[in-house]
Amino acid sequence: MLSPQSYVQTPEPRPAPARRRGWVIAGKLGITLLTLGLLWHSVVDNEATAAAWRGLLARSLGGQGRGPVLLALLLMPVNWGLEAWKWWRLARHLEPVSFRRSFRAVLVGLTLGFVTPNRVGDYAGRIMELKSRRLDALGAVFLGRYCQLVATVAAGTLGLLYFLVRFYLPGYPAAQLGLVVLTLVINLLVLLPLYYSELLVAAVQAVKPLRRFARYLAVMPTYPARLLTHVLLISGLRYLVFGAQFGLLLLAYGVRAPLGPAAAAVAGTFLLKSLVPSLNALADVGVRELSATHLFGLLGQPVLPVLSASLSLWVLNIAVPSALGLIFVLRLKVLRRKKPAAAPAA
């Protein structure tokens, strides 16, 4: 006997309105033009960066400094590959996601962050690559950036401690001991919200102006401590790669500071740069250069090679990947169709 036929029609997915698609296309083109304009201004039109870029190319193609520059260049995909690995570990807690898609999300976020205040476009670039739980993804992006901040603070406070003890407080053992204790306290206070994120969420809820952000951070306590430790280790490894790139470029430009003090100067530079909010990625340049030239100046190193190495680091790790990310921005699916609801049984 034939079963009764169901005449309930499954609704077809409705395409996004043409007007919305037009806005999306206009937005992508606007981001592309703005990114290209900033890249031109920062890499070609800006005299200091253009000189550093020409010096980087000369050292890459010539004999002097070719080895260190090429090594730093080879570490660029390693640097952002580690960031993609970190995001992959965080994102797959929310939904199944491939490493390839995670890498693409990181490049898109880098490009969008290039043209937005304090790099907030990084959040948008990553969550738009996810198919669901985009609200929770905001908390996941924040968690990844916070893990990187923990690594930066841990190394940077030790680096600044070296300079404070050696150059500013010699002969004051009590003050030096106080700084050591303060450094330990700062690192513990920074590490605490990572493993006890429910305290962070409660603190955000308790402050009225910040209360609206609590729902974005609510996903953080769902991450197990073991996963957080893995992400923190990846952040530390990425920090070492980034520091090694800076060291190689310093070597290529002729900076010859001892390894220990140079590592302290690099760590202090990264920390000071991370603590200062910026209007966009281009604004980071001045903060990093000012910090680097001051700290390496205390080590007796000339300003110009340090400035050139620092600007070249920005070109390698921000400008070039941001330009590559434009390819994925133009192909980004901003509007996703909702899945049709299942038809009721006849």
Side-chain angles (χ1 to χ4, degrees), residues 161 165 169 172-184:
L161 178 64
V165 169
L169 295 173
Y172 296 93
Q176 293 176 1
L177 179 60
L179 281 177
V180 171
V181 173
L182 180 62
T183 301
L184 292 175

Side-chain angles (χ1 to χ4, degrees), residues 32-240:
T32 301
L33 293 175
L34 183 58
T35 303
L36 290 175
L38 283 174
L39 285 172
W40 176 268
H41 173 70
S42 57
V43 179
V44 179
D45 196 40
N46 184 280
E47 184 177 349
T49 313
W53 179 238
R54 290 193 298 268
L56 184 65
L57 289 176
R59 282 163 172 75
S60 301
L61 300 175
Q64 183 182 4
R66 179 170 55 186
V69 169
L70 291 178
L71 282 176
L73 182 62
L74 290 175
L75 286 176
M76 181 182 68
V78 176
N79 179 20
W80 291 108
L82 288 170
E83 179 62 24
W85 183 22
K86 183 173 67 174
W87 174 239
W88 176 68
R89 296 299 303 270
L90 292 167
R92 70 177 186 167
H93 181 73
L94 305 177
E95 68 173 51
V97 60
S98 65
F99 178 81
R100 180 180 178 182
R101 220 168 86 212
S102 299
F103 195 92
R104 184 174 62 195
V106 166
L107 287 182
V108 171
L110 180 64
T111 303
L112 296 181
F114 185 82
V115 295
T116 52
N118 210 26
R119 305 187 62 79
V120 295
D122 184 41
Y123 287 82
R126 299 194 190 199
I127 66 174
M128 282 191 292
E129 283 286 349
L130 296 181
K131 298 179 180 178
S132 63
R133 301 188 65 179
R134 289 183 168 183
L135 186 65
D136 291 335
L138 289 171
V141 177
F142 175 80
L143 189 56
R145 295 180 73 169
Y146 192 82
C147 286
Q148 199 65 53
L149 178 65
V150 171
T152 302
V153 170
T157 50
L158 291 177
L160 292 181
L161 178 64
Y162 167 81
F163 282 94
L164 290 172
V165 169
R166 178 180 173 183
F167 294 101
Y168 293 98
L169 295 173
Y172 296 93
Q176 293 176 1
L177 179 60
L179 281 177
V180 171
V181 173
L182 180 62
T183 301
L184 292 175
V185 170
I186 289 174
N187 280 277
L188 287 175
L189 291 177
V190 171
L191 190 61
L192 187 65
L194 182 61
Y195 289 97
Y196 296 94
S197 53
E198 61 274 6
L199 298 178
L200 177 63
V201 176
V204 171
Q205 287 178 332
V207 182
K208 191 173 181 179
L210 301 178
R211 195 170 298 165
R212 63 182 182 274
F213 298 109
R215 59 176 181 166
Y216 305 124
L217 304 180
V219 71
M220 292 177 60
T222 67
Y223 282 87
R226 184 176 181 181
L227 176 56
L228 294 176
T229 301
H230 289 168
V231 174
L232 188 58
L233 290 174
I234 296 171
S235 300
L237 185 57
R238 181 173 177 250
Y239 184 90
L240 291 176

